[in-house]
Amino acid sequence: MTITLNVNGARREAAHGERNLLSFLRFDLGLTGTKYGCGEGLCGACTVLVDGQALRSCMTTVGAVAGGEVTTIEGLSPGTSVEDLHPVQRAFVEEQAMQCGYCIPGFIMGAVGLLNRRPDASAGEIREALAEHMCRCGTYQRIAAAVERAASGEGAS
Amino acid sequence: MTGSERVSASPSTSPLRIVGDVTVGFPASRTGYGQATYGNTQPQTERATWIAVWPDGSVTAYAGKVEYGQNIRTGLAIEVADELRVGLDDVEVVLGDTDRVPWDMGTFGSQSTARVGWQLRKAAATAREAILALASDRLDLPASDLEASAGQVRPKADPSRGISYADLLAGQSIEREISERPAVFGPSEFTLMGRAQRQRVDALDRVTGRAVYSQDVLPAGVLYASILRPPAYGARPTRIDLSAAERMPGVARVVDEGDLIAVLGESDEAAALGARAAVIDWQLREGQPSRFDMPALLVESGVDGYAVQEAGDLDEGFRAASSVIESTYYIPYIAPAPMEPRAAVAVWEGDRLTVWAGTQRPFGIRQELAAAFGIEESRVRVIAPEIGGGFGAKSPYGLAIEAARLAKVAGRPVRVAFTRGEETMWSNFRPAAIVRIKSGFDAHGRITAWQSDAYHSGERVMIGRRGADTPYDVPHVRSLVYRSDSPLPSGSYRSLGAAVNHFARETHMDEIAEAAGLDPVELRLRNLSHPRFRRVLETAASDFGWSGPRLGEGRGAGIALGIDVGSYVATAVEVSVAGRDVRVHRVQASLDCGLVVNPEGALNQMEGSIVMGLGGTLFEASDFEDGRLLNAGFARYRVPRIVDTPRIDVRFVGDDTDPSTGAGEPGLVPLSAAVTGAVWGATGVRHRELPVTRHL
Ligand code: FES
Ligand code: FES
């Protein structure tokens, strides 16, 4: 039975409710900004927002989020220039918080989820919230600095 | 021209092209190394276009390297923009597409800035000279009276009479060979090189999810493959029944070619469910060594002892010593575990094959594909898109051939993608190694004899040799490196064997310091005359505020030095140990990699390599038994997290006049010994086996 859900503000259809959310986003909708890193809920690469809360899309189904609003990295901002990025994205650009970049969309979505809950999260809260995200390139110091910058509103427009 | 127009245009249509030799990516002296290490290819063409300047004055630079996190796109753009005197935004860098870029042996060994960056600088300087020559004709002034800046040529005497590159190039079609001695700028003339840049040139794509990795390539009509791989190394199928798989909904076809068993689905889900319905009996290979057999196996199977360093007479050196100590160091296999598992997509159009593969060796993979299908290399195009980390693991890329074989059978594009478990199991691991060191020294801590025997697993001898020589002033020395059996596939890993060899040597230096009753920094300086080594050590020690290893209250400090890919490095760390918990609080590194083209990029690489080094030092070891990998996923393989990350400070101490050397790997090499030295300072326990947290 087909099922409809909201993704980045648009109504989208999935073939059935058991469809893995990550696969649905990447392969059915072509929203490949959300990454596959482990498929086991352990790395955070697949993080999206559901009603503003960070969620590991690899661990859930389309049916489980059908009533909610799903936001992927593509839906976070128009992203045509540094100026129209979401403040968290902009902070990652400014801190050069990226190497290969594969983990970065997941970190950004995780950080946005945190700041939605705790707009002025402390350095410790940021580290704790991102403790289950992996960056094998080891960009952590910069990622922490970027999220702290976004949390403090520094450089925000 | 917009970025996308520029990227897709052929350089032959541009008004100014700079062509040159392609082997610069790996000069002749290193080609043998590349072949020994990777079985790599010779170039099919000797010359290629390195730079094209377009009618609007914008520039495209072409390089056979790939981008897997080292930020070479920004680094190369900076070099080209500075030499050509155009804005950074006016330069596009095309990488890793065998149809479009100069041949290259592969992206490894931190050669990108050193070799290709230099070639592009010369090419850009040649282009600037060509543009100045056009302006000289136009303005009827000698080129020496003109200068280029911001995409314009101006008479030095009258800067208001500037002509834009676009004007000068209108209607031209010039092809120039890279000059033998082009007038490249010196450090005092740099406007971009060595300066902090506001952002990476590819930052926007990376934070918006637009950057395309091999996992993200999904051409129309693509079939998703689930390959039925053996559950253990050496396992063989004895019965294969794909009939139920074939009947599953959404399964387009099943493939059984003996060494390649696959289910092809219209979706990833259909392929995965189909594969689950396949019935295969596997026969396991008996009697394979386990992780516990490694230390003995390494020594017993070691062959071809190769002297990386030999001088003086060891007997005489040990006779001259007042003390002799001997220790053995053991380092297990570790997994590269890049965040992006490998993926490949193959498309056939007639007998022309295109494969997207996030490999560090697009040209090597092209050659392998051509050989596999018996076609000319010119019929094969390999495109390495963005790569989600490599660290050496993505030089071999068997998925490219699997995808091409399946696409040929299916007559449709096919995508093969590793799961996390497959990525780990079917990767090469950093070799396991045993290093035995015997040293003799006098009452002043001066080393008189140094005998080192290193046994590294694997066929690729160069891996174990890297960093196996001592930089200290030792009159009588012999360092041998042996090649030992490898139950797991072992291969390149960031810094290859250098991190392992440095761990053994630098830990041993600490042991000499302890035995001689000297401070570790003092002991090293007494045995070190090379000024670049002394400088990195002294700056790391003073920036850190070095006061000795024992800080009290469960805290300790450690320091070590090293060299890798031509760069000199020293690192000091502070740790605390409480029970089985080791925390690294801060890391102070000092790096001399000559001219730093992109300081922020080099810093990012140093920070990353230090974090990666912490993993192998503290947590990581790949466990195996009976041909099975016991910790293939992240559930049981602990990699460094944000909460493990110390404060990291790095100072660059090299001279602008020294050529650029690598910054991506050196950070790793002194780190393990610095940490174990600090753990000794905190606990009094000397760790000669990694990872530390398994031995507390
Ligand atoms: S892919 Fe979902 S947590 Fe790793
Ligand atoms: S930037 Fe490469 S994994 Fe994080």
Side-chain angles (χ1 to χ4, degrees), chain A residues 98-104 107 134-139 143, chain B residues 339 388-389:
Chain A
M98 62 196 80
Q99 293 189 42
C100 79
Y102 195 76
C103 67
I104 295 301
F107 269 100
M134 291 178 191
C135 171
R136 195 57 171 150
C137 299
T139 320
I143 291 170
Chain B
M339 283 314 298

Side-chain angles (χ1 to χ4, degrees), chain A residues 16 18-20 23 26-27 32-33 35-38 40 42-43 73-74 78-82 85 89 92-94 96 98-105 108 127 130-144, chain B residues 68-69 197-200 203-204 206-211 213 215-216 218 224 268-269 335-337 339-341 387-389 391 415 418-420 600 603-605 607-608 611 620 634-635 639-643 645-648:
Chain A
H16 60 91
E18 290 306 300
R19 180 78 171 130
N20 177 274
S23 289
R26 288 176 51 76
F27 303 133
T32 53
K35 301 301 182 198
Y36 166 86
C38 69
E40 299 180 294
L42 296 168
C43 76
I73 188 82
E74 292 90 345
T80 50
S81 69
V82 175
L85 291 173
Q89 290 173 306
F92 273 69
V93 172
E94 286 161 351
Q96 303 201 17
M98 62 196 80
Q99 293 189 42
C100 79
Y102 195 76
C103 67
I104 295 301
I108 290 174
R127 279 171 182 75
L130 299 178
E132 304 294 310
H133 283 256
M134 291 178 191
C135 171
R136 195 57 171 150
C137 299
T139 320
Y140 297 123
Q141 177 160 287
R142 286 162 188 272
I143 291 170
Chain B
Y68 60 107
Q197 299 303 321
R198 213 164 36 82
Q199 65 185 64
R200 292 170 56 125
L204 207 53
R206 277 167 159 59
V207 299
T208 55
R210 285 199 293 264
Y213 300 79
Q215 285 269 350
D216 305 331
L218 300 167
Y224 297 77
D268 62 316
E269 190 175 57
M339 283 314 298
E340 183 200 18
I387 303 177
F391 319 116
R415 171 184 192 265
F418 272 155
T419 62
R420 170 55 52 192
E600 209 58 24
L603 199 52
N604 215 331
Q605 283 291 293
E607 292 163 5
V611 171
E620 295 178 40
F634 286 135
V639 301
R641 310 288 187 106
I642 200 166
V643 288
T645 305
R647 180 186 168 115
I648 299 170

